[in-house]
């Protein structure tokens, strides 16, 4: 008929069960709680420990009062699970006496352990692990510093030695005693430095010899790059033009502002060999230039110019030319004088010849004339004695006068 006939009381001694469960969880802390499907606490170690007061349910003794609704609903959902997020606890829960046919009448037991308690050992382990890690790091850093000093100090010496060698201090040597590969490397470095020093000394000797040759040359020598800029001048060139390094060659040598019409650099680029230019007058001086190509390691073409000062030769040629002209003028003048003298001499010789001829003729005529004159003298003497006629005496007188 559906009427109650009696009450069946079953004592499951749940409190003893909860006590056993609580004691088993005491080592890790937390609390074991029994709630109804509506969330009321049936057993709570802090709130409700008397099993006999199950019916005295209060709102503050409800799961929804202590936990967020989402968390509380998940706990009393009738499923087992674990909640890790949303609260400061880790909650593991499971339903008791759950019947699929009567889903509104079951209990839930859950264990809630605060995260700070649960992770305390982890935190302690982290602290301890951090301490050991820090200790290991400190020891490692110390050992690393010692090892780094052991390795970096010789390496720094090698770097400094390389810099000093690069700066030209070829007498620098390394003193490294590490009994390892670095010491062997230092020994090879010292051998290399010795070889470089010997090679540099040999190069310096050749350079000094070349400088001496260039400096003692009577001709000026200059090296001109592909931009027509002067890169080198020997002593003679410096004495002739001054220090004009870095200037354009046409401005330094020819006092011009534009490149030469026939540039030796362009001619040599076209494949021509040695070029020789005639005398060029620069500032009252004369120069003869010989240009030769110089191929640089990068493939560019430079020019070696040899300029010979021919001013003295030019002046000597001008003096010789002037003396020749003067001599020619004097020769012409003397020739003219000689021609005149020759003409005079010829005339004199002609006159002398005429004189000699006249003298010969006179001599040839004087002989008979003398005889005639002597005979006339005798005839005049006789005429005076014989008293010849006056006219005969006058004729004899005329003949006598002309005979003498």
């Amino acid at each position: 008929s559906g009427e109650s006939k009696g009450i069946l009381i079953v004592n499951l001694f749940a409190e003893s069960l909860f006590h056993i469960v609580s004691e088993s969880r005491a080592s890790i802390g937390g609390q074991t709680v029994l709630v109804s499907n509506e969330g009321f606490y049936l057993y709570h170690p802090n709130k409700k420990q008397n099993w006999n007061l199950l019916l005295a349910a209060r709102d503050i003794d409800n799961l929804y009062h202590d936990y967020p609704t989402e968390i509380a609903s998940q706990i009393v959902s009738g499923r087992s699970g674990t909640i890790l997020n949303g609260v400061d606890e880790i909650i593991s829960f499971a339903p008791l006496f759950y019947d699929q046919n009567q889903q509104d009448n079951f209990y839930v037991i859950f264990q809630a352990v605060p995260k700070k308690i649960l992770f305390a050992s982890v935190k302690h382990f982290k602290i301890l692990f951090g301490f050991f890690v820090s200790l290991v790091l400190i020891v490692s850093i110390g050992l690393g510093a010692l090892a780094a000093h052991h390795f970096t100090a010789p390496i720094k010496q090698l770097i400094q030695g390389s810099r000093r060698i690069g700066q030209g201090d070829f007498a620098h040597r390394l003193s490294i005693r590490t009994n390892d590969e670095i010491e062997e490397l230092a020994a090879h470095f010292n051998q290399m430095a010795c070889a470089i020093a010997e090679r540099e000394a040999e190069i310096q000797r050749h350079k000094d010899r070349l400088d001496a040759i260039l400096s003692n040359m009577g001709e000026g020598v200059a090296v001109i790059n592909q931009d027509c800029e002067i890169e080198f001048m020997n002593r003679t060139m410096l004495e002739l033009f001054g220090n004009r390094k870095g200037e354009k060659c046409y401005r330094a040598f020819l006092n011009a502002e534009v490149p030469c019409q026939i540039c030796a650099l362009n001619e040599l680029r076209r494949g021509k060999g040695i070029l020789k230019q005639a005398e060029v007058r620069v500032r009252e001086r004369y120069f003869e230039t010989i240009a030769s190509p110089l191929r640089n390691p990068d493939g560019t073409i430079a020019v070696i110019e040899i300029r010979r000062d021919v001013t003295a030769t030019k002046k000597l040629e001008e003096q010789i030319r002037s003396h020749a002209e003067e001599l020619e003028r004097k020769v012409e003048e003397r020739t003219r004088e000689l021609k005149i003298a020759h003409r005079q001499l010829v005339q004199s010789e002609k006159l002398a010849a005429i004189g000699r001829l006249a003298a010969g003729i006179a001599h040839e005529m004087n002989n008979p004339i003398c005889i005639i004159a002597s005979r006339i003298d005798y005839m005049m003497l006789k005429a005076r004695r014989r008293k010849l006629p006056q006219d005969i005496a006058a004729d004899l007188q005329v003949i006598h006068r002309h005979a003498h």
Side-chain angles (χ1 to χ4, degrees):
S1 62
E3 296 180 355
S4 299
K5 300 298 183 178
I7 298 174
L8 177 62
I9 299 174
V10 178
N11 191 354
L12 298 176
F13 297 100
E15 185 177 1
S16 299
L17 176 62
F18 295 148
H19 178 71
I20 295 172
V21 174
S22 299
E23 288 297 326
S24 65
R25 296 293 182 179
S27 60
I28 60 173
Q31 56 191 2
T32 302
V33 180
L34 179 66
V35 296
S36 66
N37 62 326
E38 295 178 350
F40 290 103
Y41 292 119
L42 301 179
Y43 176 81
H44 195 288
N46 297 327
K47 292 186 177 184
K48 197 170 185 180
Q49 299 180 2
N50 191 354
W51 180 264
N52 297 322
L53 299 178
L54 289 176
L55 299 178
R58 297 179 302 172
D59 292 338
I60 60 174
D61 294 330
N62 194 288
L63 185 66
Y64 288 93
H65 182 269
D66 296 332
Y67 293 97
T69 303
E70 182 181 358
I71 301 298
S73 298
Q74 189 175 355
I75 293 174
V76 297
S77 62
R79 296 186 300 273
S80 300
T82 302
I83 299 174
L84 301 176
N85 301 318
V87 291
D88 294 333
E89 300 173 330
I90 296 178
I91 302 173
S92 296
F93 56 90
L96 294 177
F97 310 117
Y98 181 76
D99 189 357
Q100 293 288 342
N101 298 322
Q102 297 181 356
Q103 296 182 1
D104 57 348
N105 189 14
F106 62 91
Y107 305 104
V108 177
I109 186 171
F110 68 90
Q111 177 77 24
V113 180
K115 291 181 180 179
K116 62 180 181 179
I117 297 175
L118 184 63
F119 293 123
S121 58
V122 176
K123 184 176 180 181
H124 178 71
F125 174 76
K126 287 182 178 180
I127 295 174
L128 186 62
F129 179 77
F131 172 76
F132 281 109
V133 169
S134 300
L135 181 62
V136 171
L137 286 176
I138 293 172
V139 174
S140 300
I141 291 172
L143 294 176
L146 292 176
H149 179 74
H150 177 76
F151 290 106
T152 58
I155 293 175
K156 288 182 178 179
Q157 292 187 33
L158 286 170
I159 295 173
Q160 294 176 356
S162 300
R163 290 176 179 173
R164 296 185 63 175
I165 292 294
Q167 294 172 356
D169 185 7
F170 301 110
H172 179 69
R173 298 292 182 272
L174 297 179
S175 178
I176 297 176
R177 298 290 182 270
T178 56
N179 297 322
D180 55 9
E181 291 80 1
I182 297 180
E183 181 178 351
E184 184 178 357
L185 179 61
H188 287 293
F189 179 88
N190 292 333
Q191 294 177 2
M192 179 192 68
C194 291
I196 293 176
E198 294 176 357
R199 185 62 177 171
E200 183 66 20
E202 182 180 359
I203 293 174
Q204 188 63 39
R205 286 194 298 270
H206 288 291
K207 182 178 180 297
D208 293 340
R209 183 178 180 184
L210 180 59
D211 290 341
I213 293 173
L214 293 175
S215 298
N216 292 317
M217 287 180 62
E219 295 80 7
V221 179
V223 177
I224 303 171
N225 62 19
Q226 60 180 353
D227 297 325
C228 298
E229 295 176 349
I230 301 173
E231 292 184 344
F232 170 80
M233 301 175 72
N234 72 338
R235 185 177 62 186
T236 304
M237 190 69 83
L238 292 173
E239 292 174 354
L240 292 173
F241 297 95
N243 189 359
R244 311 299 292 272
K245 295 179 182 177
E247 295 186 24
K248 299 295 184 180
C249 59
Y250 50 83
R251 184 177 298 115
F253 296 150
L254 302 178
N255 198 22
E257 295 299 328
V258 294
C260 307
Q261 293 181 354
I262 302 177
C263 179
L265 184 61
N266 293 332
E267 296 296 323
L268 294 174
R269 284 174 179 170
R270 295 189 183 100
K272 293 187 177 181
I274 298 175
L275 301 178
K276 183 176 181 181
Q277 296 180 352
E279 295 86 356
V280 178
R281 184 176 180 179
V282 181
R283 303 187 193 94
E284 303 302 326
R285 303 182 72 91
Y286 293 91
F287 296 94
E288 185 181 67
T289 305
I290 298 176
S292 177
L294 175 63
R295 187 173 297 276
N296 295 318
D298 59 357
T300 58
I301 299 294
V303 177
I304 298 178
E305 281 196 359
I306 300 176
R307 291 182 177 266
R308 185 165 61 92
D309 188 357
V310 295
T311 304
T313 305
K314 193 71 175 178
K315 289 182 178 180
L316 182 60
E317 290 178 354
E318 291 178 354
Q319 291 177 1
I320 293 174
R321 189 180 301 109
S322 177
H323 289 318
E325 292 175 355
E326 180 67 19
L327 181 60
E328 185 177 356
R329 184 184 62 78
K330 289 182 178 181
V331 168
E332 289 179 356
E333 183 179 351
R334 188 60 177 167
T335 302
R336 220 171 23 251
E337 292 177 355
L338 288 175
K339 287 181 179 180
I340 295 172
H342 181 264
R343 286 196 298 269
Q344 292 176 353
L345 179 60
V346 171
Q347 187 67 23
S348 298
E349 289 179 353
K350 288 180 179 180
L351 294 174
I354 293 172
R356 288 192 298 270
L357 178 61
I361 295 173
H363 177 72
E364 293 296 331
M365 292 177 67
N366 283 335
N367 288 333
I369 289 174
C370 287
I371 296 173
I372 293 171
S374 297
R375 188 65 180 168
I376 291 172
D377 287 337
Y378 176 74
M379 288 174 68
M380 287 179 67
L381 181 62
K382 285 180 73 174
R384 282 190 300 265
R385 289 176 181 178
R386 294 179 178 181
K387 295 182 181 182
L388 294 175
Q390 189 64 31
D391 54 347
I392 296 175
D395 291 334
L396 289 176
Q397 189 68 31
V398 173
I399 296 172
H400 180 271
R401 186 173 58 250
H402 286 286
H404 291 282

